[in-house]
Amino acid sequence: MEESYRQLKLEVEKCRKCDLWRESKHHILGEGPLNSKIMLVGLGPGYHENIEGRPFVGAAGKLLNNLLTLAGLERGEVYITNVIKCYLPDNKAADEQVKTCGQYLDRQIDLLKPKVVIALGSVATKYLFEKHGLQYTSMDKLHGRILKVESLTCNRFIVAMYHPASALYNPSMKEVLEKDWKKLGEALLKILTESF
Ligand code: URA
């Protein structure tokens, strides 16, 4: 698995499948232990991420770190990635970019086989719901929901969460996010000890 991951990383670093590479200092595959049971999926690297070459290191990253703590998790124990691997200057990805770059995320999930995939925000939630045959409605309806996906080829939980950055634009969201993450922490205690 490590070798296939290394290969995937090299492929992503050389990717020219859309124009986003032109503004990107780094193509960021992800960060964290490859054997983590938990994968977090955001939208795409912003300004600070593009400078540092790491996901979620800017203002949204600081909020995410706090939310992880509320859920009883340490950042170093989860694997963090994004749907889009290149710098997204205005935080908006075209459908075609999501479709194209999403293929890398599919391969990451196949390789790392996380038990729980936490989608951060609507783009990641929509993408992961569609991939897993779940019906996406809206973040207002889905946030905090933990859905179990069971099939011959896949046994995992998909979690829909508001993007941490939503609390940057709308401070009243902070409370909602904090509540969701506390609840998620409690659910994770059960999920991660369950054998399946
Ligand atoms: N927002 C994201 O969705 N991803 C990052 O890596 C940083 C901010």
Side-chain angles (χ1 to χ4, degrees):
M1 182 268 270
E2 276 84 2
E3 179 50 30
S4 307
Y5 185 86
R6 210 179 57 87
Q7 200 57 45
L8 177 60
K9 191 163 183 288
L10 289 176
E11 247 181 81
V12 167
E13 279 162 8
K14 285 189 295 204
C15 185
R16 300 279 188 275
K17 288 185 182 166
C18 76
D19 273 350
L20 290 176
W21 66 272
R22 295 181 190 279
E23 306 249 354
S24 300
K25 275 184 195 295
H26 300 276
H27 299 194
I28 308 167
L29 180 57
E31 168 179 286
L34 302 188
N35 63 354
S36 176
K37 290 193 173 9
I38 303 172
M39 176 185 280
L40 269 61
V41 183
L43 170 58
Y47 177 82
H48 296 282
E49 289 75 23
N50 189 41
I51 290 173
E52 281 198 39
R54 297 175 55 210
F56 281 100
V57 290
K62 289 197 176 70
L63 274 172
L64 179 62
N65 293 347
N66 294 339
L67 294 168
L68 285 167
T69 306
L70 280 180
L73 296 166
E74 280 176 34
R75 181 171 167 129
E77 66 176 311
V78 298
Y79 180 86
I80 305 178
T81 186
N82 285 299
V83 176
I84 303 289
K85 311 305 189 202
C86 280
Y87 174 38
L88 265 184
D90 55 4
N91 276 322
K92 282 200 176 60
D95 289 348
E96 202 49 38
Q97 288 164 342
V98 170
K99 200 171 150 199
T100 307
C101 212
Q103 293 171 22
Y104 294 126
L105 175 62
D106 298 347
R107 285 169 62 192
Q108 273 170 295
I109 295 175
D110 285 347
L111 276 174
L112 309 189
K113 300 186 183 11
K115 191 162 173 177
V116 182
V117 182
I118 304 172
L120 306 173
S122 61
V123 175
T125 303
K126 229 180 259 174
Y127 185 83
L128 289 161
F129 267 48
E130 270 173 28
K131 279 284 155 194
H132 290 84
L134 301 168
Q135 203 194 341
Y136 177 84
T137 48
S138 70
M139 288 311 293
D140 291 344
K141 290 209 174 98
L142 293 172
H143 73 97
R145 297 274 305 273
I146 303 169
L147 293 135
K148 188 168 188 171
V149 180
E150 268 180 308
S151 72
L152 281 179
T153 51
C154 159
N155 262 319
R156 74 175 59 101
F157 294 86
I158 304 292
V159 184
M161 285 295 197
Y162 281 124
H163 195 288
S166 54
L168 295 175
Y169 311 122
N170 178 358
S172 66
M173 286 293 296
K174 195 163 171 254
E175 220 174 290
V176 181
L177 275 157
E178 288 177 353
K179 204 168 150 211
D180 283 350
W181 279 85
K182 272 188 205 155
K183 263 178 72 185
L184 175 61
E186 287 158 20
L188 285 176
L189 283 179
K190 285 194 206 137
I191 289 173
L192 296 176
T193 49
E194 193 182 290
S195 56
F196 74 107

